[in-house]
Amino acid sequence: FRTKAMTADEWRMLFAKSEFDLEGQLTIGDRSFPVILKTKYSETESGAEVDGFTRMRFKDFDIKPPTVVGGVVAKAKPDVE
């Protein structure tokens, strides 16, 4: 995952909110896909931390959900988090 380019001031404005959406590109293999992460910024004793997640579907990445033995033994849900 790579965020869009931002200035130091733009990063400071985001971190001041503590919770924000972070736009970027997720690269899988040789393809990139636009992604928006729900992100939380926090400061700890050891430093700063940014944690984020998004919910998408395998088909958003042109990927079929993984299966075991053709889906007879195990089949993944279509969502990715």
Side-chain angles (χ1 to χ4, degrees):
F1 176 77
R2 176 172 260 178
T3 66
K4 68 175 188 168
M6 290 188 279
T7 66
D9 285 337
E10 290 173 317
W11 282 109
R12 284 186 200 97
M13 286 180 7
L14 283 178
F15 294 159
K17 296 178 189 177
S18 76
E19 291 187 21
F20 51 91
D21 290 343
L22 186 60
E23 295 181 46
Q25 296 283 322
L26 178 65
T27 302
I28 301 173
D30 60 352
R31 297 188 61 196
S32 291
F33 303 89
V35 174
I36 298 175
L37 300 178
K38 301 289 183 192
T39 309
K40 183 176 183 179
Y41 173 82
S42 60
E43 292 187 22
T44 64
E45 290 179 14
S46 59
E49 182 176 298
V50 178
D51 187 29
F53 75 95
T54 190
R55 287 190 182 101
M56 300 185 77
R57 301 175 72 80
F58 279 101
K59 70 179 182 177
D60 295 333
F61 302 116
D62 294 329
I63 299 173
K64 292 183 181 178
T67 62
V68 176
V69 188
V72 175
V73 174
K75 185 174 173 182
K77 293 182 179 181
D79 299 329
V80 178
E81 183 174 303

